[in-house]
Amino acid sequence: MNSFRHSDKSRLLCFLFIVLLAPATLFATCKGDCQQGAMAGPFSASQVAENTTTGFFPVCSSCAKGGWSNHQLEGIDAQQNINTNYQFYDQASNTDSNIAVGPNVTGKNAQVLQWVDNQYVQAFDKNTGAAVFTNRNGTTGVPQSVDGLWSGSTQPECQGTTGNVQVIFDRIDGSYIINRRTSYNVGAITHYAWCIAASSGSDLSNPSMQWFAYEYKLDNIIPCVPSSNNCTTGDNYYYFPDWPRIGTWSNGFFITFDLTDPTENYAELGFEACQLDRADIVLGNPTNPINCYTYMVPNTQRPSLIHSVDVADIDSAKEPPAGEPEYFLAMVNPSNAQQSGNGEGVCTSKTTPCTSNQLALFSWGSSGLVGPSFVVVHPYTPGCYDTSGAGSEVNTICIPEPSTNTGDVKPYGQESCEYFNTPCVDSLGDRLANRLTYNNISNAGGPYGTFLTASHVIMESSSNQRTGIRYYILKVSSGVASVLVQSGGTSGPPDLQDPNGLLFYFMPSAALDKHGNLGITYTTSGEFCSGCSKQPHPAINFDVLPWKATQLAPATLIIQGLADEENDQHWGEYAATVMDSTNELTFYGVGQYFNINQNGTTSCGTPSSNCFTWKNRIFRGEYGTVFGVK
């Protein structure tokens, strides 16, 4: 593949692989996203180096068993030993925890792998619940840093502690994947690298497990910000690659990340999608270059209505049919078309709630990334959509906790929780939730075909911006999607929301079992309740929409939190629902909660501090036996 200098890239953004999204000057009937989005690429970069380690994570041979209790176990928590002098996690005030689930294999152990930003992982035995990783010669489970997977001499950029991360299980190759974006400085300029590591097998308790680690520097891939004069002037050269996602597909690993402008308050300009050489990565071989395309809107039309794109990840034991392209999906944020505008800007109505009725579908086939095509869905207002002031539409913070000042919760069109004494939580209402799952199912008694599942947070009540969850099952083939199931219409299944109209629902993640039952992990939270014996602190829940049902099954409370996150609005944004490929029936999930208020800001390195008190709960079960039972 060709590589490009930044001067080449600037020209390419203007004319190579251009896709016009129905600008109003050409199509007067445009009703939704009319931004002039442009596709450009391919851009490529070779691997910097590869590194193989054996037995990198020390295995605990005598750690305590019995971690599973009522189909749950405690994951990595803030106040536990993570290789410091204290039984205390002193690295971050919040977590973007996610999980990967390996299969049961005869004669081998099987695990759930958990990641917590910004660098720690722990594996848990699927049978006993015992922690797998420890310190050298340790007898207690201790989460381990991933930094040393990448060589300190040839891949030092990957040893930074920056960037959102995902762990996934590659069902095609039987390999765990650890994926991260890092930043590093050359002089005073920030640069970015993509770092990925693959396990040589599925049994993380094998002390001979090898890890194959790769780095790709992104200078030739990420466009230059306009103010940098083709990456030659200023303090910032490159768009910031935010909100990374990864998925396994038959012809590679695919990643996506947002392109945000650090010189313009990180405004969303679009996204980038890339293909990595999966076949060689999982074998530890030298790899083909990373191959990328950008999708961006003109500066005059920022922010992009399409961003934070999810990439399909295979969640079934069966692979995609031969030649099937990889899929990418995003929300389309409301445009000013409903205000008699040209559809090239955001909706700013303070009275009539702004709505969208579109999802944006992209695919990657033999000709690279193509799209978007628009999937028409029931109208929705994104969760916490803020029109209280110019540029505030990017703010999606409005989820209250019992400790939130009640005066900070306002109706639609007014400032809600933007400036607060005790924070509300970010709903992430402007984007799809974590995981776009792909299932290839051949079930004569149920679903038959290939499906995507997705979910996101929407506004359910304009009086206080109370939020609920919209969810979808899309049937896909040859790059085309049709809506099979969607909530929120006058008929069919309802949105997942509080039937009493009090609690806010947020942070969902959906997955599909082989019988077509759609499982959703989500969090609930609410304002202070003067007449309640228990306060509605954030709680982890799980619910199922059975196949062909028009009503959700009885919800399952996983764990009720006893406290709030008061010093940050950033919640566990990578909450996940994952299918166990062993039987394609067992849902696994992870979410964040608190038993002690997290409100400290000083003395954060001592065990008594309440700066960091977050906890993570991992859970599992099948519909009809654990979930959906009255």
Side-chain angles (χ1 to χ4, degrees):
M1 302 226 176
N2 294 327
S3 60
F4 295 89
R5 301 182 304 274
H6 285 287
S7 57
D8 297 325
K9 289 168 62 179
S10 299
R11 291 192 293 271
L12 281 169
L13 287 175
C14 298
F15 62 82
L16 183 60
F17 292 98
I18 298 296
V19 177
L20 295 179
L21 302 184
T25 54
L26 296 181
F27 297 94
T29 59
C30 178
K31 298 297 184 182
D33 178 10
C34 308
Q35 290 183 325
Q36 297 176 2
M39 197 84 74
F43 310 122
S44 65
S46 299
Q47 68 180 51
V48 173
E50 58 188 275
N51 186 52
T52 299
T53 60
T54 301
F56 177 76
F57 297 118
V59 173
C60 190
S61 59
S62 58
C63 287
K65 297 177 172 57
W68 290 104
S69 175
N70 194 27
H71 308 288
Q72 301 179 25
L73 62 79
E74 195 67 5
I76 301 174
D77 292 339
Q79 296 191 349
Q80 71 180 78
N81 184 354
I82 303 193
N83 210 20
T84 66
N85 293 329
Y86 301 115
Q87 298 287 321
F88 193 73
Y89 181 94
D90 55 3
Q91 300 290 323
S93 62
N94 49 64
T95 168
D96 286 332
S97 177
N98 53 92
I99 57 173
V101 182
N104 300 329
V105 179
T106 302
K108 296 182 179 181
N109 294 322
Q111 297 87 28
V112 179
L113 178 66
Q114 182 190 11
W115 169 285
V116 169
D117 268 356
N118 44 29
Q119 60 179 310
Y120 290 102
V121 294
Q122 180 59 281
F124 300 93
D125 188 281
K126 287 173 65 178
N127 180 35
T128 66
V132 175
F133 301 149
T134 185
N135 294 333
R136 296 290 174 188
N137 301 315
T139 58
T140 302
V142 181
Q144 297 296 300
S145 170
V146 302
D147 286 352
L149 288 174
W150 293 273
S151 168
S153 59
T154 61
Q155 302 165 310
E157 296 82 7
C158 288
Q159 294 194 338
T161 56
T162 60
N164 304 108
V165 185
Q166 279 182 292
V167 291
I168 61 173
F169 186 76
D170 168 12
R171 297 165 190 267
I172 295 176
D173 302 293
S175 176
Y176 287 93
I177 306 301
I178 297 176
N179 174 74
R180 72 190 311 192
R181 178 262 299 144
T182 62
S183 61
Y184 62 98
N185 289 334
V186 178
I189 304 301
T190 301
H191 300 254
Y192 304 100
W194 206 272
C195 311
I196 187 168
S199 67
S200 60
S202 65
D203 183 3
L204 296 173
S205 68
N206 183 348
S208 299
M209 174 72 71
Q210 290 186 309
W211 287 87
F212 310 122
Y214 297 83
E215 176 188 359
Y216 304 86
K217 291 184 177 179
L218 303 183
D219 285 6
N220 288 337
I221 290 173
I222 298 179
C224 312
V225 296
S227 61
S228 70
N229 190 24
N230 291 328
C231 286
T232 60
T233 61
D235 297 329
N236 289 280
Y237 283 1
Y238 306 100
Y239 285 98
F240 176 62
D242 197 14
W243 201 247
R245 289 289 188 265
I246 184 171
T248 299
W249 204 251
S250 51
N251 61 338
F253 294 123
F254 286 85
I255 61 173
T256 57
F257 50 86
D258 283 342
L259 294 171
T260 66
D261 190 342
T263 68
E264 296 290 341
N265 199 29
Y266 292 91
E268 300 274 4
L269 265 293
F271 75 97
E272 190 152 359
C274 304
Q275 179 188 41
L276 292 105
D277 181 2
R278 192 205 83 239
D280 285 314
I281 288 174
V282 297
L283 296 176
N285 295 333
T287 66
N288 291 315
I290 186 173
N291 183 28
C292 303
Y293 290 82
T294 62
Y295 169 86
M296 303 181 73
V297 302
N299 288 332
T300 56
Q301 296 176 19
R302 66 172 58 183
S304 175
L305 300 177
I306 298 173
H307 61 80
S308 306
V309 176
D310 273 357
V311 54
D313 184 35
I314 299 172
D315 223 22
S316 58
K318 193 174 181 180
E319 297 180 34
E324 183 75 351
E326 169 67 295
Y327 291 94
F328 308 83
L329 192 69
M331 281 175 50
V332 179
N333 282 273
S335 79
N336 61 14
Q338 75 180 74
Q339 299 172 278
S340 301
N342 60 11
E344 295 178 352
V346 297
C347 176
T348 59
S349 172
K350 290 183 172 62
T351 54
T352 303
C354 294
T355 62
S356 175
N357 69 339
Q358 295 178 323
L359 304 177
L361 181 75
F362 297 80
S363 62
W364 187 307
S366 58
S367 58
L369 184 68
V370 296
S373 60
F374 292 100
V375 181
V376 177
V377 296
H378 296 319
Y380 58 85
T381 298
C384 304
Y385 192 81
D386 185 0
T387 59
S388 63
S392 61
E393 298 82 12
V394 298
N395 167 47
T396 55
I397 302 168
C398 79
I399 307 293
E401 302 170 285
S403 57
T404 300
N405 295 332
T406 55
D408 287 336
V409 182
K410 300 289 182 62
Y412 175 85
Q414 296 185 29
E415 183 178 86
S416 184
C417 299
E418 178 74 26
Y419 302 102
F420 40 70
N421 295 320
T422 54
C424 301
V425 173
D426 193 346
S427 72
L428 299 180
D430 63 337
R431 62 199 66 194
L432 289 182
N434 182 32
R435 299 211 77 222
L436 177 66
T437 70
Y438 174 89
N439 293 80
N440 187 352
I441 304 175
S442 300
N443 189 337
Y448 193 96
T450 53
F451 306 90
L452 300 176
T453 68
S455 60
H456 59 106
V457 179
I458 67 168
M459 185 182 76
E460 300 288 0
S461 171
S462 60
S463 63
N464 64 351
Q465 300 189 64
R466 181 176 57 83
T467 57
I469 294 165
R470 182 66 52 86
Y471 51 89
Y472 309 93
I473 302 175
L474 305 181
K475 193 162 187 177
V476 292
S477 180
S478 302
V480 178
S482 60
V483 179
L484 182 67
V485 175
Q486 61 176 320
S487 64
T490 56
S491 61
D495 289 337
L496 183 54
Q497 61 171 312
D498 182 10
N500 298 316
L502 299 174
L503 296 176
F504 287 61
Y505 286 21
F506 68 109
M507 221 54 69
S509 181
L512 196 69
D513 74 13
K514 70 179 182 181
H515 291 159
N517 304 308
L518 182 70
I520 305 173
T521 301
Y522 62 101
T523 302
T524 60
S525 185
E527 295 182 75
F528 176 79
C529 177
S530 59
C532 297
S533 59
K534 294 183 179 180
Q535 291 300 315
H537 300 289
I540 306 169
N541 303 264
F542 191 82
D543 210 342
V544 177
L545 178 73
W547 176 248
K548 291 188 176 181
T550 57
Q551 295 295 324
L552 291 151
T556 301
L557 173 64
I558 302 301
I559 186 166
Q560 174 62 60
L562 303 176
D564 297 342
E565 178 181 52
E566 299 181 27
N567 62 356
D568 203 325
Q569 80 282 347
H570 179 118
W571 198 255
E573 297 179 343
Y574 281 56
T577 306
V578 181
M579 292 309 305
D580 187 340
S581 62
T582 305
N583 59 14
E584 297 183 76
L585 289 174
T586 304
F587 294 99
Y588 279 77
V590 65
Q592 177 180 317
Y593 71 104
F594 291 85
N595 280 343
I596 301 172
N597 286 332
Q598 180 171 287
N599 53 26
T601 56
T602 60
S603 301
C604 293
T606 63
S608 61
S609 172
N610 59 356
C611 299
F612 313 125
T613 61
W614 48 260
K615 300 172 77 68
N616 284 287
R617 183 59 58 93
I618 298 171
F619 60 94
R620 67 184 180 189
E622 295 182 18
Y623 170 66
T625 59
V626 176
F627 303 128
V629 179
K630 293 184 179 180

